[in-house]
Amino acid sequence: MSTYTPLLGQGIGNTPYDDSQRQFLDTWKTGYHRAQVATSRFVNSRAKHWLILILIILDVAGILSDIFIALITCETGVGDDKWVKPTRNALGVFSLSLSCVFLVELFLSVFADGLGYFKSWFHSFDASVIVIGFAVDLFENNTAEEIASLIVLLRLFRFVKIVDEFSVEASEQTDDLRKRIEDLETRNAALEAQLSRR
């Protein structure tokens, strides 16, 4: 019988590139994990929650301003005034900018938490509102006015996220207070033990 000789050399797993590939893959996995942990720390931080809270309030204010301007110009017949179109365009750009920020926040949250982020119905619904709102903001024109008005209503639901942000803040404060109470109880027990020894 003839001896077996692989067509591609020594066989898979023995090439000089395998060690460098493994090293690169290990380095990449470590860097990815570090980035994911850092992103998770940021996404779950108080500063991020307050920033998103403020941006949601600004977004709702912009949406309501646009609605009020549309109603006022329709009722009073001043829709052709010079200030109306630039103001509504500026509000549209503002809305698109905030949609971009919310989309980035969504991507960071999914990166930090993985697909487990979507286990909560609230996060899933919020993500769909963000993506649909972004698409409508991006492609909004006169033919999409009806769809845009429905999406505006859904985006106003994001106001509920303010309540969620406050509940996260309250739970963080509660955890801090619990830790403080435990520390005080431990100190109190130690002081009582010292007094009873005297």
Side-chain angles (χ1 to χ4, degrees):
M1 291 201 173
S2 65
T3 58
Y4 173 74
T5 308
L7 292 175
L8 298 176
Q10 297 296 321
I12 299 173
N14 295 330
T15 64
Y17 297 108
D18 282 341
D19 289 335
S20 65
Q21 287 173 346
R22 276 191 214 110
Q23 185 180 16
F24 172 76
L25 188 59
D26 289 342
T27 303
W28 187 84
K29 284 181 182 178
T30 303
Y32 179 84
H33 180 69
R34 284 182 184 161
Q36 195 174 26
V37 168
T39 303
S40 179
R41 201 174 305 128
F42 169 72
V43 165
N44 295 316
S45 71
R46 271 190 191 153
K48 179 260 176 185
H49 287 295
W50 281 105
L51 176 65
I52 293 299
L53 177 69
I54 290 168
L55 292 177
I56 289 172
I57 290 170
L58 289 174
D59 190 31
V60 169
I63 290 169
L64 292 176
S65 298
D66 192 36
I67 290 171
F68 290 142
I69 289 172
L71 289 173
I72 290 170
T73 57
C74 182
E75 289 287 323
T76 59
V78 294
D80 295 331
D81 283 1
K82 292 180 181 179
W83 65 272
V84 175
K85 189 166 179 83
T87 304
R88 294 200 69 201
N89 285 341
L91 288 171
V93 169
F94 180 69
S95 179
L96 180 61
S97 301
L98 289 179
S99 290
C100 290
V101 171
F102 294 140
L103 198 61
V104 168
E105 183 244 346
L106 174 64
F107 287 137
L108 290 175
S109 296
V110 171
F111 175 72
D113 297 334
L115 294 178
Y117 177 79
F118 295 109
K119 287 182 181 176
S120 163
W121 73 268
F122 181 77
H123 289 287
S124 298
F125 184 74
D126 190 43
S128 62
V129 169
I130 290 171
V131 171
I132 293 170
F134 176 76
V136 167
D137 280 344
L138 199 58
F139 299 114
E140 187 176 15
N141 56 29
N142 290 337
T143 60
E145 291 260 347
E146 292 81 22
I147 296 171
S149 63
L150 292 174
I151 298 303
V152 164
L153 291 175
L154 287 176
R155 285 179 67 188
L156 289 175
F157 175 77
R158 289 207 48 152
F159 194 71
V160 173
K161 190 161 183 173
I162 292 173
V163 174
D164 183 52
E165 296 293 336
F166 277 127
S167 68
V168 167
E169 181 70 24
S171 70
E172 288 175 356
Q173 288 178 351
T174 303
D175 291 341
D176 291 343
L177 289 174
R178 269 196 202 112
K179 288 177 187 175
R180 227 171 140 204
I181 289 171
E182 289 172 4
D183 289 342
L184 289 173
E185 287 176 348
T186 305
R187 284 184 190 172
N188 188 25
L191 290 172
E192 285 177 358
Q194 283 178 355
L195 285 174
S196 66
R197 282 185 243 153
R198 291 184 182 180

